[in-house]
Amino acid sequence: MPPREDDGGSTGPAMPDLEMPNNPWPDIKKRAGDAGWLKFDPQAAIELGQAISNFQWKLFALRGNATTLTQMVDLATPEITSGPALAKEFGKQGQEMYRILCAHHKILDDMLDSVVAAGKNMANTEEGNVQDLLRQLDGITTPLQETQYNDGKAPGALTQREGDHGKYRKGYNYDADGMPTTRKGAPSGYQSDFHVKDNRKQPDLKAKETLKTGIGETRARSWAALHANRNYLEGGVTADLVADDAAEWKYIGEKISEWSVDFGNAVAKHLNPAAGDDKVWQGEGAQAIKTALDNYRVSLEPLAATAKQHHSLLEYVSQFLVDTHYWAPPYAREEDDPTYYLTDRQQMFGETYVRGVEFTARSIPKLVYPTEAFAGVPPIYDPRDKNKDGKIGDNEKTPGDTNNDGKLSEEERQALARTQGPGPGPGPGPGPANLKSGPGPGPGLTAEQKKAQANAANEQRKAAEFAEQQRRDAARRAREQEAYEQQQRAQNDRRQAEAEQRAKNAAAQQEAYQKQQQAQAAAREAASAAQQAAQQGLQAAQQAAQQALQGGQKGASEALAAAQQAAQNALANGIPKAGDLAAKLGGPGPGPGSMAKGVGLTEAAKLFPRAGAASMATAAGTGLGALGRAGAAPQAMPGSPGPAGAAGQGAGQGQQNYKRPAYLESDQHLDEMLGEAPKVVRPVVEQ
């Protein structure tokens, strides 16, 4: 496995490898080179080996997706502590997925080596195209799979709500001059009944096991905290980043499901072939590797399921963050909010954010580790463990194996050869010329020496095979390292480009938000100034109307008093005396003859407009005639017309009995005499 380098996502130490207790694959790999322990049909080994390699490098590409999940954007401001805490938990889950994929890569690496070694063991026992089979087994490779990154999209907000303020509807407080001062605060004991209509449906994850995070949240946050959190969520950047993470989890889960099907079918094909099973797998280790392969095959889908559950959960998180932003207060102060009290905003915060956080914190699924595939695999014993008790006795150790790994390195083999020394030399040289020659060369190698020599040759062969395997492993590691570095460079470039683009988007959104806030503040100031000016204008108009009304009433009263005084003057001074009236009417004269010479009814009507024509005629025929007679002579003349009994009376007695007509004592028609008075009305001020 290539070492994990800094990929731009974190400056902390590299994540440690996942511990895998009871992992059988390193032991299977170690024993697979022993032809007596395991053999596998070489053609089947080529097919299965290629399937293993393909699956291994596909999972390797998924590590790039998992790297983007190792850190998550905070879900709220630092003051609302549940947001950063929950984001940290999801970041840990991303780190665990990365470590799990690395562990699978290592398992598949040992699996491939074991299958290839077992295929070679059987290929070496066959005739014919042995070298071609070995070449194909050594040539198993898979092109690097490019990492495909995925973007999500946050949904729209739920904008409908249920509930009403009822009698506690929000309004203004007013000062003594009737000017609005602040918005009314919530009444004592007020409880909001607002709810988000058709609130987000929480996903049914059906997780087998979940984490215990202990994260919770309270809705009793201050207005400032709720407003600051709205600004943090402004523009939907946070919700979009969470949706991106959800898309990555979905991709990982779907790809593991898709690829594990192809891999599992290839494994199942060669685990239990229809016929000739004993010819496909041979040796004591056959059952162990077959069980390990089958367990691993069925352990992949649960991992894919937990990845898909993370997608569903984070998709829900993105949704309730959008709703949280929508229902948070856009105003910096509660008194500026025309609709909601702080209690209402806290209620909405609870309906959206608190509800979502509490569900999410108790629903994070536990990821499935590869260790669950290790159970039930038969034990793999060291070849030196003759009694299979899991221990290597001194008599079971390989001579010269100083590190007790069961193999002799080149240095250990050379050191063993030096300690054994040369065998016995030849016999004595020839004697004197007259003596017979000696027995010649001494005896050959002993049985023990021959055995040591054979063991040394066998160890040398094993060392050569081991060196060749190391060379192939090193070449593969080099390819892996190169591919890993290439992938990391591409990933770093993409992440940097994304970060720059997101920073630009966030800056643009922040600038737009600030302009919007400034426009709203200017609009509020203009509205407040206009309202204040309107109030001042209304007060001025009311004062002017009152003054005009008072002035009109005073003028009308004065006009009426003047008219009444003029009427009284007219009544007192405007009626002529009897003698004057008689003279004006034509002087004294006996009877109606003198009336004919006086003024007519029309001129009398002009002088006395309140009298009717009939009354005036009566006055002309009676009263005026009497007045004329009274003014003509002090004593009545015989034969003069007049009322009965008036002939013997004097003028003075007649004047004492005279009474003014009642209509002259009344002011009923005074306004007709004076004419139409000026109209005074209350002025009307336009609203």
Side-chain angles (χ1 to χ4, degrees):
M1 181 185 67
R4 181 171 183 267
E5 297 179 354
D6 183 11
D7 55 10
S10 173
T11 57
M15 289 177 288
D17 291 340
L18 190 68
E19 294 183 3
M20 293 186 291
N22 303 319
N23 179 12
W25 286 105
D27 292 335
I28 293 176
K29 176 183 176 180
K30 187 183 295 184
R31 293 297 310 270
D34 186 352
W37 188 76
L38 179 64
K39 294 186 181 71
F40 186 33
D41 179 84
Q43 194 61 47
I46 293 172
E47 294 179 8
L48 181 57
Q50 189 63 57
I52 294 172
S53 178
N54 292 344
F55 187 55
Q56 176 187 12
W57 284 101
K58 288 177 178 178
L59 291 187
F60 180 87
L62 283 184
R63 297 194 305 179
N65 300 89
T67 301
T68 65
L69 301 173
T70 56
Q71 286 186 326
M72 185 176 179
V73 62
D74 290 346
L75 306 183
T77 58
E79 183 176 353
I80 302 176
T81 56
S82 59
L86 200 57
K88 187 176 181 180
E89 289 296 330
F90 278 107
K92 290 180 180 179
Q93 291 296 92
Q95 295 174 11
E96 285 303 287
M97 176 55 79
Y98 181 92
R99 297 174 66 202
I100 288 172
L101 291 174
C102 290
H104 279 281
H105 185 84
K106 187 173 183 180
I107 290 172
L108 291 166
D109 201 36
D110 292 341
M111 187 185 298
L112 177 60
D113 288 343
S114 301
V115 169
V116 169
K120 288 182 177 180
N121 290 340
M122 186 173 287
N124 288 325
T125 62
E126 296 181 354
E127 298 179 355
N129 58 345
V130 176
Q131 295 300 322
D132 184 56
L133 290 174
L134 295 177
R135 181 181 55 79
Q136 292 184 58
L137 288 169
D138 287 336
I140 293 176
T141 183
T142 300
L144 176 65
Q145 304 292 318
E146 183 178 356
T147 298
Q148 176 182 338
Y149 297 97
N150 303 273
D151 295 327
K153 182 173 179 59
L158 291 179
T159 59
Q160 300 297 320
R161 62 145 176 87
E162 297 174 343
D164 195 359
H165 280 297
K167 63 180 179 178
Y168 299 118
R169 192 168 302 280
K170 216 172 175 190
Y172 280 107
N173 292 315
Y174 295 89
D175 59 17
D177 296 329
M179 297 297 295
T181 55
T182 59
R183 291 279 179 184
K184 292 180 180 179
S188 177
Y190 169 76
Q191 292 182 349
S192 177
D193 64 346
F194 286 142
H195 302 280
V196 178
K197 189 175 181 180
D198 300 328
N199 209 339
R200 298 290 182 182
K201 183 178 180 181
Q202 295 172 335
D204 184 11
L205 300 177
K206 295 183 174 62
K208 183 178 179 181
E209 199 172 359
T210 59
L211 301 177
K212 293 180 173 58
T213 63
I215 298 173
E217 185 52 68
T218 176
R219 65 181 59 190
R221 294 292 182 179
S222 66
W223 187 279
L226 297 178
H227 177 67
N229 193 52
R230 184 187 192 280
N231 291 342
Y232 175 76
L233 300 175
E234 185 67 32
V237 176
T238 302
D240 281 338
L241 291 176
V242 174
D244 289 347
D245 288 350
E248 294 290 7
W249 280 106
K250 180 181 181 181
Y251 180 79
I252 291 174
E254 289 179 345
K255 288 305 176 182
I256 292 178
S257 292
E258 175 187 342
W259 298 336
S260 62
V261 170
D262 297 336
F263 170 76
N265 290 338
V267 172
K269 176 182 177 180
H270 299 294
L271 282 181
N272 298 298
D277 185 34
D278 56 340
K279 295 181 180 179
V280 177
W281 296 96
Q282 296 178 7
E284 179 185 349
Q287 188 58 41
I289 191 172
K290 288 168 63 178
T291 303
L293 282 169
D294 193 41
N295 287 0
Y296 183 79
R297 174 180 64 90
V298 299
S299 71
L300 297 170
E301 183 54 35
L303 175 62
T306 55
K308 295 174 184 177
Q309 290 164 0
H310 278 75
H311 156 252
S312 298
L313 190 58
L314 283 176
E315 191 174 50
Y316 170 70
V317 172
S318 177
Q319 292 171 355
F320 78 70
L321 286 180
V322 171
D323 297 339
T324 301
H325 168 264
Y326 181 84
W327 292 109
Y331 304 96
R333 301 181 305 169
E334 180 183 3
E335 51 266 30
D336 294 335
D337 194 328
T339 308
Y340 297 107
Y341 300 117
L342 172 60
T343 307
D344 299 323
R345 292 296 186 181
Q346 291 173 339
Q347 170 73 8
M348 292 300 191
F349 181 68
E351 285 281 313
T352 55
Y353 182 83
V354 176
R355 174 177 177 265
V357 164
E358 290 180 348
F359 173 80
T360 305
R362 65 174 182 269
S363 303
I364 300 178
K366 278 188 176 181
L367 296 171
V368 177
Y369 293 92
T371 52
E372 298 188 10
F374 300 157
V377 178
I380 295 97
Y381 297 105
D382 191 287
R384 296 168 297 171
D385 186 7
K386 305 302 182 183
N387 55 5
K388 297 182 179 180
D389 59 356
K391 299 178 181 179
I392 307 298
D394 292 339
N395 58 339
E396 296 173 331
K397 294 180 179 179
T398 302
D401 184 11
T402 57
N403 59 0
N404 199 28
D405 61 354
K407 298 178 181 180
L408 289 179
S409 64
E410 182 64 24
E411 292 78 6
E412 290 174 334
R413 188 179 60 80
Q414 293 177 0
L416 178 63
R418 288 193 298 269
T419 57
Q420 289 178 343
N434 57 350
L435 295 178
K436 294 181 179 181
S437 62
L445 298 176
T446 63
E448 184 178 355
Q449 290 175 332
K450 290 179 179 180
K451 182 179 179 180
Q453 191 175 28
N455 289 339
N458 187 38
E459 292 298 331
Q460 186 175 7
R461 178 183 63 81
K462 289 184 178 181
E465 292 178 354
F466 179 74
E468 178 63 18
Q469 183 64 40
Q470 290 291 96
R471 183 191 64 77
R472 291 196 299 268
D473 290 346
R476 185 171 62 253
R477 306 289 186 203
R479 293 196 302 271
E480 291 178 1
Q481 180 69 25
E482 181 180 0
Y484 180 82
E485 292 176 352
Q486 180 182 357
Q487 183 190 49
Q488 292 302 308
R489 286 193 297 269
Q491 180 178 340
N492 288 341
D493 293 342
R494 175 189 173 277
R495 288 171 62 88
Q496 183 176 0
E498 287 182 347
E500 292 176 354
Q501 185 61 40
R502 285 174 176 169
K504 292 179 180 178
N505 294 341
Q509 291 171 350
Q510 184 65 24
E511 182 179 359
Y513 173 72
Q514 290 177 352
K515 291 182 178 178
Q516 181 183 7
Q517 291 294 313
Q518 292 173 357
Q520 290 177 351
R524 287 195 297 269
E525 292 178 0
S528 178
Q531 187 176 26
Q532 185 176 1
Q535 290 293 333
Q536 292 175 352
L538 179 58
Q539 287 183 345
Q542 290 175 347
Q543 293 175 359
Q546 291 174 357
Q547 292 174 359
L549 180 58
Q550 293 172 359
Q553 291 176 346
K554 182 178 179 182
S557 299
E558 292 177 353
L560 181 58
Q564 290 176 346
Q565 183 65 37
Q568 292 296 329
N569 295 336
L571 290 174
N573 304 320
I575 304 299
K577 295 181 181 180
D580 296 338
L581 181 59
K584 186 173 183 63
L585 292 176
S594 60
M595 183 66 183
K597 298 179 181 179
V599 294
L601 293 177
T602 303
E603 188 173 352
K606 292 180 179 180
L607 292 173
F608 301 95
R610 293 183 179 274
S615 300
M616 186 62 68
T618 304
T622 57
L624 292 179
L627 287 174
R629 291 191 300 271
Q635 294 182 353
M637 296 296 294
S640 63
Q649 296 178 358
Q653 183 179 0
Q655 290 179 355
Q656 291 177 356
N657 294 332
Y658 174 75
K659 296 183 63 176
R660 289 163 58 99
Y663 64 83
L664 294 176
E665 301 294 339
S666 172
D667 60 355
Q668 181 177 1
H669 297 280
L670 184 61
D671 54 346
E672 296 179 11
M673 182 186 71
L674 296 175
E676 185 177 358
K679 294 182 180 180
V680 179
V681 297
R682 184 191 302 267
V684 178
V685 180
E686 292 185 358
Q687 298 293 332

